[in-house]
């Protein structure tokens, strides 16, 4: 009997990494590895890393230290590091962590099977070359088909925007779009395997295909994907506010399958700070797009990101951020204190605001947002929402699903409803979740 090989995979950071990890699981299955939640039983440990936050490299080296001790007991164990930190560190990783067998960059997933096979024969390998054509999407159709009813589908990678604080263009390379035909093919295959919701994924989906004149642009792509049989619901992320077009906004009114949710990161509410960030829009322009979205899709849930304490942010700038937040009424907001990423432009900016002041600003912003989120969740009480049931809740004693607006809902019901969209009456709005009751237990096929 051939013994099953075990993969332990840890994923850090953004949705792009989550999506890449789904591909990694599929690729590793293809060469005989099944996932395990326990690294001490693994034959292969892969870390899919992220360098968005400060001290990302130290965190990765810290993690690798833990795995080194497992390798002492399991000498055949293969350890690999991928993602943005691997892209940045490259050879340094193999030097600083000699027990690591392979390092793969953000464009090299398609080589992973052969890299692991080589590691099984004792070879160490590093692949961090940037690819500037569609080859980087090769094997993107390979995904773990057992992981539920919702799936990310990569439509583009990289970014040309060079926001002053952001490491992404340095570690993910320049923007490149995948052909619409291949995307639709992948979505159709996912639908055939039972997936009912897809999220089209890219660093800036609004500029999808901008370098491919004559090809479908992003609004056209949404329409093509919405036509795929079996797909009930469609989402996308992330949108750059400067690039969201009237045609894309109109899609929320015109494509019934397009979920009424958009993640539209403002990052700041002060024009001075937005300029220093190189964001390419003013707060008025941002608010204009928000107003157009609300007009096209009343009830749309808007989420965002906000950076507090960007170099040069003064008290008045922060007040403008608070005012913008209030006007938008975000359903949720991911907010952070700015931290310099080496290699970015903002890392060279003088930063005179003290740590305590930044912390106080963040706490004020987060307290205000918590209040807004709770109010918005409570305002949904008594409404009927279309909920896609994803499976069991974390506690395993209820079902978990999501509204079109991407709010998580706990509800009672039969697990056989998983994958279906059911009408649910919201009975309670909590801070992070909604509680609901199914109105029609048979769901909508
Ligand atoms: S748009 Fe700006 S923040 Fe987003 S990935 Fe590109 S450079 Fe980074």
């Amino acid at each position: 009997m051939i013994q099953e090989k075990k993969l332990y995979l840890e994923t850090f950071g953004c949705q792009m990494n989550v999506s890449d990890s789904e591909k990694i699981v599929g690729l590793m299955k293809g060469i005989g590895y099944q996932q395990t939640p326990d690294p001490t039983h693994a034959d292969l440990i892969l870390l899919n890393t992220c360098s968005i936050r400060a001290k990302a490299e130290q965190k990765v080296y810290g993690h690798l230290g833990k795995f080194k001790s497992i390798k002492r007991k399991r000498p055949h164990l293969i350890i690999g590091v991928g993602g943005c930190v691997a892209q940045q560190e490259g050879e340094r990783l193999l030097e600083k962590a000699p027990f690591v067998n392979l390092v793969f960059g953000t464009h090299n997933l398609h080589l992973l099977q052969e890299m692991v096979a080589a590691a099984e024969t004792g070879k160490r390998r590093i692949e961090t070359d940037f690819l500037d054509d569609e080859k980087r999407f090769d094997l993107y159709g390979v995904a773990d088909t057992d992981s539920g009813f919702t799936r990310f589908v990569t439509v583009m990678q990289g970014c040309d925007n060079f926001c002053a604080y952001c490491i992404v263009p340095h570690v993910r390379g320049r923007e490149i779009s995948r052909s619409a035909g291949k995307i639709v093919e992948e979505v159709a295959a996912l639908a055939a395997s039972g997936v009912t919701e897809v999220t089209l994924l890219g660093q800036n989906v609004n500029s999808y295909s901008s370098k491919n004149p004559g090809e479908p642009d992003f609004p056209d792509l949404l329409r093509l994907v919405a036509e795929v049989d079996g797909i009930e619901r469609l989402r996308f992320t992330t949108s750059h506010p400067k690039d969201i077009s009237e045609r894309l906004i109109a899609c929320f009114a015109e494509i019934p399958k397009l979920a009424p949710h958009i993640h539209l990161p403002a990052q700041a509410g002060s024009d001075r700070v937005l300029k220093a960030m190189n964001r390419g829009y003013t707060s008025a322009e941002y608010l204009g797009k928000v107003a157009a979205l609300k007009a096209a899709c009343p009830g749309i849930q808007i989420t965002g990101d906000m950076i507090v304490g960007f170099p040069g942010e003064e008290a008045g700038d922060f007040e403008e951020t608070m005012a913008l937040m209030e006007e938008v009424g975000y359903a949720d907001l991911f907010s952070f204190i700015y931290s310099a990423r080496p290699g970015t432009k903002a890392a060279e900016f003088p930063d005179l605001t003290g740590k305590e002041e930044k912390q106080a600003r963040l706490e004020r912003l987060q307290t205000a947002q918590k209040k807004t989120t709770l109010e918005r969740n409570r305002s949904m009480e008594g409404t009927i929402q279309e909920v896609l049931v994803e499976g069991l809740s974390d506690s395993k004693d209820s079902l978990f699903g999501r509204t079109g607006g991407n709010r998580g809902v706990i509800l009672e019901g039969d697990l056989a409803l998983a994958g279906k969209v059911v009408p649910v009456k919201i009975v309670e709005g909590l801070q992070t979740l909604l509680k609901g009751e199914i109105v029609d237990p048979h769901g909508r096929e």
Side-chain angles (χ1 to χ4, degrees), residues 159-163 165-169 203-204 240 267 279:
C159 184
D160 291 350
N161 284 313
F162 288 92
C163 298
Y165 52 83
C166 185
I167 195 74
V168 165
Q203 253 85 33
N204 178 15
H240 195 306
Q267 309 294 10
R279 288 292 286 172

Side-chain angles (χ1 to χ4, degrees), residues 134-198:
E134 259 209 87
K135 230 198 246 160
R136 75 164 91 170
F137 298 114
D138 281 2
L139 293 176
Y140 260 60
V142 181
D144 177 22
T145 47
D146 304 331
S147 65
F149 302 96
T150 64
R151 203 63 58 84
F152 291 114
V153 173
T154 303
V155 302
M156 62 181 307
Q157 268 202 356
C159 184
D160 291 350
N161 284 313
F162 288 92
C163 298
Y165 52 83
C166 185
I167 195 74
V168 165
H170 306 271
V171 289
R172 292 253 175 202
R174 292 301 82 74
E175 189 179 293
I176 186 161
S177 298
R178 190 179 178 197
S179 70
K182 288 214 171 134
I183 294 165
V184 171
E185 227 172 78
E186 181 177 346
V187 172
L190 289 172
S193 75
V195 168
T196 45
E197 176 184 302
V198 289

